[in-house]
């Protein structure tokens, strides 16, 4: 009989995450400084984990993204990873609600050498998004969860057919599946997942993650052309 596999504990999954980060993710001085400056300024430590940031980077490269939309900049850590995935002439448009966060992000982007390919737009994303034209090849949604359906609708409007749409923080330590917990954030996450299920502009799935940020997950969607109902053939006379 095979030996039972032990389940994950906080210590074991953090050890695995540290090992994977150490083995597969290169954290250079600019990325480390971005996190350090963010912490020094008192920003919440809610940026994506390094392994997750590298995944975003690789997804952008896999689809050959030239135009990326990020909703939620914070200190610019994930923005640096996305900008570094771009080919010559590519651009990232990132939206940040807090002007102070945007100042930190711009400084971090410039220090990382990618400031010239990133547009940092300041304002509530729900107000900024209607003024954008796209089309975008990849949309990364990592902002207030209450507005996920608004952001997904704009992702569908602004993303080209075949665009990738990634939504962060969709598991929330498993609470997304607990009907007894109904905070505003969880309601927003659930409505977003239901939209990905029901909206004919998307084909989507989601995966759970265990990393430096704990137990969470991402939804990954493909922007598709909605199926056109077949027109019935009139009966022959």
């Amino acid at each position: 009989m095979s030996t039972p596999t032990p389940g994950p504990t906080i210590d074991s999954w953090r050890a695995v995450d540290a090992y994977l980060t150490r083995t597969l993710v290169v954290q250079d001085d600019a990325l480390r400084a971005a996190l350090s400056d963010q912490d020094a300024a008192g920003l919440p430590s809610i940026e994506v984990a390094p392994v997750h940031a590298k995944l975003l980077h690789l997804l952008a490269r896999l689809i050959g993204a030239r135009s990326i939309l990020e909703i939620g900049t914070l200190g610019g850590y994930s923005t640096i990873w996305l900008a570094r995935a771009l080919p010559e002439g590519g651009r990232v448009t990132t939206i940040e609600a807090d002007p102070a966060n945007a100042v930190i992000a711009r400084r971090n982007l410039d220090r990382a050498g990618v400031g010239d390919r990133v547009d940092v737009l300041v304002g509530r994303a729900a107000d900024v998004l209607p003024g954008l034209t796209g089309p975008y090849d990849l949309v990364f949604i990592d902002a207030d969860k209450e507005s996920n359906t608004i952001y997904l609708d704009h992702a569908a409007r602004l993303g080209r057919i075949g665009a990738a749409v990634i939504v962060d923080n969709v598991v929330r330590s498993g609470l997304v599946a607990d009907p007894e917990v109904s905070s505003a954030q969880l309601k927003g996450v659930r409505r977003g997942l239901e939209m990905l299920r029901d909206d004919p502009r998307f084909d989507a799935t989601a995966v759970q993650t265990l990393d430096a940020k704990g137990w969470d997950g991402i939804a990954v969607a493909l922007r598709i052309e909605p199926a056109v109902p077949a027109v019935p053939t009139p009966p022959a006379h």
Side-chain angles (χ1 to χ4, degrees), residues 52 55 59 166-172 176 193 204-211 215-220:
H52 187 168
L55 175 62
L59 285 173
I166 299 105
V167 187
D168 201 15
N169 308 126
V170 299
V171 171
R172 315 294 296 181
V176 69
L193 292 170
T205 190
V207 293
Q208 301 180 72
T209 57
L210 281 174
D211 55 34
W215 181 17
D216 214 319
I218 59 171
V220 180

Side-chain angles (χ1 to χ4, degrees), residues 8 83 90-91 96 152 174 212:
R91 296 204 68 76
E96 173 53 46
L152 284 168

Side-chain angles (χ1 to χ4, degrees), residues 103-227:
V103 170
I104 295 168
R106 286 192 179 105
R107 184 169 63 241
N108 287 334
L109 292 163
D110 288 339
R111 181 171 49 209
V114 297
D116 60 341
R117 68 188 80 163
V118 180
D119 297 312
V120 182
L121 307 182
V122 180
R124 291 181 63 253
D127 298 329
V128 174
L129 286 164
L132 302 182
T133 56
Y136 294 99
D137 302 310
L138 185 149
V139 181
F140 177 46
I141 299 172
D142 189 14
D144 62 295
K145 312 312 168 189
E146 296 88 338
S147 302
N148 272 2
T149 54
I150 295 172
Y151 302 151
L152 284 168
D153 181 62
H154 283 288
R157 295 171 185 270
L158 295 169
R160 63 167 174 81
I161 301 300
V165 180
I166 299 105
V167 187
D168 201 15
N169 308 126
V170 299
V171 171
R172 315 294 296 181
S173 299
L175 295 177
V176 69
D178 187 344
E180 300 301 317
V181 182
S182 294
S183 67
Q185 285 192 340
L186 281 167
K187 288 179 180 178
V189 169
R190 291 174 185 139
R191 285 195 298 265
L193 292 170
E194 291 159 4
M195 181 175 178
L196 288 175
R197 176 194 66 198
D198 298 333
D199 193 313
R201 298 172 295 180
F202 295 112
D203 194 9
T205 190
V207 293
Q208 301 180 72
T209 57
L210 281 174
D211 55 34
K213 300 300 177 179
W215 181 17
D216 214 319
I218 59 171
V220 180
L222 183 68
R223 173 68 171 92
I224 61 173
E225 187 74 69

Side-chain angles (χ1 to χ4, degrees), residues 13 16-27 48-58 77 81 209-213 218:
W13 91 54
V16 170
D17 181 77
Y19 167 76
L20 295 175
T21 300
R22 187 170 63 247
T23 305
L24 297 172
V25 182
V26 176
Q27 292 269 76
V48 297
V51 289
H52 187 168
K54 182 69 177 287
L55 175 62
L56 291 172
H57 173 88
L58 291 174
Y77 179 74
W81 279 100
T209 57
L210 281 174
D211 55 34
K213 300 300 177 179
I218 59 171

Side-chain angles (χ1 to χ4, degrees), residues 33-46:
L35 294 178
S36 178
D37 282 6
Q38 177 179 298
D39 292 343
L43 274 63
S45 181
I46 55 174

